[in-house]
Amino acid sequence: MRTIAIDAMGGEHAPEAIVEAVLAAKSEMPQTKLILFGDAARLQKLIPATALDGHLEIVGTTEVIQDEDEPVKAIRHKKDASLVVAARYVKAGKADALLSLGNTGALLAASIFIIGRIKGVARPGLMPTLPAQGSTTGFNMIDVGANAQSKPEFLLEWAKMAACYVTEMRGVVKPSVGLLNNGAEFDKGDPTHQTAYQLLKDSELNFVGNVEGNDLLAGKAEVIVTDGFTGNAALKTIEGTAGVLLHQLKAVLLNGTLTTKIGALLVKNALSSLRQTFDTARYGGAVLLGVNAPVVKTHGRSTKRPIYYTLKQLDKMLAKDVIGKFRAQFKQ
Amino acid sequence: MRTIAIDAMGGEHAPEAIVEAVLAAKSEMPQTKLILFGDAARLQKLIPATALDGHLEIVGTTEVIQDEDEPVKAIRHKKDASLVVAARYVKAGKADALLSLGNTGALLAASIFIIGRIKGVARPGLMPTLPAQGSTTGFNMIDVGANAQSKPEFLLEWAKMAACYVTEMRGVVKPSVGLLNNGAEFDKGDPTHQTAYQLLKDSELNFVGNVEGNDLLAGKAEVIVTDGFTGNAALKTIEGTAGVLLHQLKAVLLNGTLTTKIGALLVKNALSSLRQTFDTARYGGAVLLGVNAPVVKTHGRSTKRPIYYTLKQLDKMLAKDVIGKFRAQFKQ
């Protein structure tokens, strides 16, 4: 049976939202076992006793890693933290995948130091699925911040894993791969990006060349590969720009004249379809590619829905044996 | 008399849009002379002979630098290009400022190699003014792509010039300065950003610490300083995200049901006020800070309005002697 380890104590709405999502997903995953790691007393209050069958289990832990904790120190010193114990279950083979909404740095540290890297992968990279214009499955961008400094070879590894992920999970054969750079020409960027360009060009990947910030949501490539520093800035800039725009849109409609307010009521359905296009919840969370198990980080502010979809995403990754396919790619 | 040199041949709507903007701005700048560099015959057809007085002049040139031209080669080989001759006028003291809508790389090359750097400035940086939530004057971000590789000292220089610019041009005393990084804590980022943090912290600037991509349009700082590679990605990501969102908004309203279409008519005014908030035309163009004259690049796709505002911006920079103030900052 596939088993997913869930850090029940991370995120703004923990553990309630996590338990809600788990209870909703459980009935739809008959072949999967879900283990919640966290405050046993609190979790037991939220879960009907009858639900604690062979498919749902609680493992009581006494510590929690906070957002402000220094990641590496936290996983070393808080040995009974929900995240740390969950990662140890994966390492020991008692679970196959890991989900957390908590401190991203601590999740990366726990994944790398406890679960371990795939042999042949130098550095894991973090990859969300984001919305793209005219697409129902979005695009994937890697790395968005697991690495503050990136070497060209890392980018090639990430591109390989991301392309494989997109084929398995989104059903796209030979997905297009673009390199985020500061111009379209082959010689653009700093030496890291110039070398990455050559590595990608010489690979088996369907490399479509350099792309720029304005190409991301336009859906210019199925996979965008980027150094972790730039990818982090690009991801947060997308979130921030969309957030400010939608906020201002709401403000002008709600604070307008009576005519505007009536109009706002009439366009309500159209606007919610717009919101749906840019709703990334259904894509699940950001996957850490390059470690020895499916590991996904979901936004700390997530409520039930995105967590539910992340559980589906992890279950699909296990069903498709995505990690096995990554391992085969990097076998020497 | 202040004199602005204008490359009349760059951009998608050259020279028509440029001439229109020049004719509109001319009457509002009684103390300023405008010189258009380009195809004399074409320009003469667009300009009434009576307008060619002591405040407006045409300098005929026979070559044009194209977008696909390699910048440094282009300014070396196309000696009679509109941009090159305009830059030489500035160098010779026959003009005080330079405006172009053409090849950005060529404008940078012409500014650095022909006009020259301010003594004490290692590398010029490119700085647009962008919209910020709840602000009528926006925020400034530097560097957005003049440098593919940046050293921490460059970031400090850019921050100093940008803060001075914001004080002179936007009237903000001691503007707040944020460093674009991959997290809020002081030790975030790669060594370049960690060192830049310390340099900014130890400076006289009103440094507010690290900011992230989602803080940009939220108006977290008056000045955002960033390495040119990340800044380029962030700028283009803002443009791309806003573009896709506004495009989708238009699509759902125009292709909706009859109810939606009626509603769309009623919210039209409200939506145009939203568009106005994110309209950067009135902020002018991106300034190249660190060269010995005000140099501004306006978007190649600009029509009359943004070019008109860029002329106002350059005229104000000359009136306020912004370059003189930069020089004083870097005097040893």
Side-chain angles (χ1 to χ4, degrees):
Chain A
M1 190 153 57
R2 309 195 277 264
T3 304
I4 301 173
I6 301 150
D7 168 12
M9 307 306 285
E12 288 171 30
H13 308 290
E16 290 78 8
I18 298 165
V19 168
E20 281 175 48
V22 161
L23 293 175
K26 181 177 178 275
S27 59
E28 299 172 21
M29 298 179 182
Q31 301 185 48
T32 307
K33 182 174 163 182
L34 302 166
I35 310 182
L36 285 160
F37 295 80
D39 181 330
R42 278 183 76 183
L43 291 171
Q44 273 154 4
K45 261 187 220 160
L46 296 169
I47 302 170
T50 51
L52 292 167
D53 51 18
H55 292 278
L56 180 59
E57 201 178 290
I58 294 170
V59 171
T61 56
T62 56
E63 291 178 290
V64 176
I65 295 177
Q66 307 294 345
D67 278 350
E68 51 279 12
D69 281 343
E70 201 285 308
V72 177
K73 262 191 210 160
I75 67 153
R76 276 195 195 140
H77 297 304
K78 293 189 169 176
K79 291 197 189 302
D80 202 41
S82 50
L83 169 66
V84 173
V85 180
R88 280 210 305 264
Y89 261 62
V90 177
K91 175 67 182 177
K94 291 189 279 182
D96 308 303
L98 175 60
L99 164 63
S100 179
L101 284 72
N103 185 319
T104 307
L107 177 60
L108 299 183
S111 302
I112 293 167
F113 298 123
I114 300 172
I115 299 174
R117 283 181 288 116
I118 290 173
K119 218 179 152 175
V121 174
R123 296 287 172 87
L126 197 59
M127 182 186 78
T129 306
L130 297 165
Q133 197 166 22
S135 162
T136 54
T137 56
F139 73 97
N140 286 83
M141 181 156 76
I142 184 167
D143 171 39
V144 298
N147 301 272
Q149 286 178 278
S150 308
K151 291 185 184 171
E153 306 82 60
F154 303 171
L155 273 74
L156 178 63
E157 289 177 1
W158 299 333
K160 284 182 178 176
M161 289 187 284
C164 175
Y165 177 94
V166 168
T167 300
E168 295 298 324
M169 299 288 286
R170 289 168 46 203
V172 183
V173 183
K174 279 260 169 199
S176 53
V177 176
L179 173 66
L180 182 58
N181 209 331
N182 64 352
E185 302 78 8
F186 78 97
D187 59 349
K188 280 286 177 177
D190 57 12
T192 299
H193 293 85
Q194 289 166 346
T195 308
Y197 185 101
Q198 289 305 326
L199 292 175
L200 290 161
K201 193 172 155 278
D202 296 341
S203 74
E204 302 287 297
L205 294 163
N206 175 17
F207 181 53
V208 295
N210 289 329
V211 298
E212 300 180 70
N214 49 316
D215 298 322
L216 301 175
L217 264 65
K220 194 127 173 206
E222 300 281 355
V223 171
I224 303 288
V225 63
T226 162
D227 70 279
F229 192 89
T230 310
N232 188 267
L235 173 66
K236 288 174 181 164
T237 301
I238 290 171
E239 292 173 348
T241 305
V244 166
L245 261 164
L246 293 174
H247 175 271
Q248 293 287 105
L249 173 61
K250 205 173 157 185
V252 296
L253 293 180
L254 292 181
N255 305 325
T257 59
L258 184 61
T259 311
T260 299
K261 282 177 184 156
I262 294 168
L265 280 175
L266 300 179
V267 298
K268 213 179 154 189
N269 287 337
L271 292 185
S272 70
S273 85
L274 175 72
R275 220 170 269 272
Q276 225 168 319
T277 310
F278 293 97
D279 165 32
T280 53
R282 64 205 157 96
Y283 296 142
V287 193
L288 184 66
L289 299 186
V291 289
N292 257 317
V295 171
V296 176
K297 162 75 206 255
T298 307
H299 242 305
R301 60 168 184 265
S302 297
T303 51
K304 174 185 167 186
R305 222 173 128 257
I307 309 171
Y308 163 85
Y309 281 109
T310 305
L311 289 166
K312 300 284 250 185
Q313 176 189 21
L314 280 166
D315 196 46
K316 189 171 179 184
M317 282 186 77
L318 290 173
K320 297 266 182 182
D321 188 24
V322 172
I323 302 297
K325 276 147 198 162
F326 290 170
R327 283 198 197 104
Q329 277 191 312
F330 292 98
K331 218 169 169 175
Q332 268 102 25
Chain B
M1 190 153 54
R2 308 195 277 265
T3 304
I4 302 174
I6 302 151
D7 168 12
M9 306 307 285
E12 288 172 31
H13 308 290
E16 289 78 7
I18 299 166
V19 169
E20 281 175 46
V22 161
L23 292 176
K26 181 179 176 273
S27 59
E28 298 172 22
M29 299 178 180
Q31 301 184 49
T32 306
K33 181 174 163 181
L34 302 167
I35 309 182
L36 286 161
F37 295 80
D39 181 330
R42 277 183 77 184
L43 291 172
Q44 273 154 4
K45 261 188 220 160
L46 296 169
I47 302 171
T50 52
L52 291 168
D53 51 17
H55 291 279
L56 180 58
E57 199 177 292
I58 295 170
V59 172
T61 57
T62 56
E63 291 179 289
V64 175
I65 295 177
Q66 308 294 345
D67 278 352
E68 51 279 12
D69 281 343
E70 200 284 310
V72 177
K73 259 190 215 161
I75 66 151
R76 275 195 197 139
H77 296 304
K78 292 190 170 176
K79 290 198 190 301
D80 201 42
S82 49
L83 170 65
V84 173
V85 180
R88 280 209 307 262
Y89 261 63
V90 176
K91 175 67 183 176
K94 290 189 277 180
D96 307 304
L98 175 61
L99 163 62
S100 179
L101 283 73
N103 185 320
T104 307
L107 177 60
L108 300 183
S111 302
I112 294 167
F113 297 124
I114 300 172
I115 299 175
R117 283 180 288 114
I118 290 174
K119 217 178 153 176
V121 174
R123 295 288 173 89
L126 197 60
M127 181 187 80
T129 306
L130 298 164
Q133 197 165 24
S135 162
T136 53
T137 56
F139 74 97
N140 286 83
M141 181 156 77
I142 185 167
D143 173 38
V144 300
N147 301 271
Q149 284 178 281
S150 308
K151 290 187 183 170
E153 306 81 59
F154 303 170
L155 274 74
L156 179 62
E157 289 176 1
W158 299 333
K160 284 182 178 176
M161 289 187 283
C164 175
Y165 178 94
V166 169
T167 300
E168 296 297 324
M169 299 288 288
R170 290 169 45 203
V172 183
V173 183
K174 278 259 164 202
S176 53
V177 176
L179 173 66
L180 183 58
N181 209 330
N182 65 352
E185 303 79 8
F186 78 97
D187 58 350
K188 280 289 178 176
D190 57 11
T192 299
H193 293 85
Q194 289 166 346
T195 307
Y197 184 102
Q198 289 305 326
L199 291 176
L200 290 162
K201 193 172 155 277
D202 296 343
S203 74
E204 302 287 298
L205 294 164
N206 176 18
F207 182 53
V208 296
N210 289 329
V211 298
E212 299 179 72
N214 49 316
D215 298 321
L216 301 176
L217 264 64
K220 197 132 171 201
E222 300 281 355
V223 171
I224 304 289
V225 62
T226 163
D227 71 278
F229 191 89
T230 310
N232 188 266
L235 173 66
K236 289 174 180 164
T237 301
I238 289 172
E239 291 173 347
T241 306
V244 166
L245 261 163
L246 293 174
H247 175 270
Q248 293 288 102
L249 174 61
K250 204 173 159 184
V252 296
L253 293 181
L254 293 182
N255 306 324
T257 59
L258 184 61
T259 312
T260 300
K261 281 177 187 158
I262 295 168
L265 280 175
L266 300 179
V267 298
K268 212 178 154 191
N269 286 337
L271 292 186
S272 69
S273 84
L274 174 72
R275 220 170 269 271
Q276 225 169 320
T277 309
F278 293 97
D279 165 32
T280 53
R282 65 205 155 95
Y283 297 142
V287 193
L288 184 66
L289 299 186
V291 288
N292 258 318
V295 171
V296 175
K297 161 77 207 246
T298 307
H299 243 304
R301 61 168 183 266
S302 297
T303 51
K304 174 185 167 187
R305 219 171 129 258
I307 308 170
Y308 164 84
Y309 280 110
T310 305
L311 289 167
K312 300 284 247 186
Q313 177 190 19
L314 280 167
D315 196 46
K316 189 171 178 183
M317 282 186 77
L318 289 174
K320 296 265 183 186
D321 187 24
V322 172
I323 302 298
K325 275 146 197 162
F326 290 169
R327 283 198 197 104
Q329 277 190 313
F330 291 97
K331 217 167 166 175
Q332 267 102 24

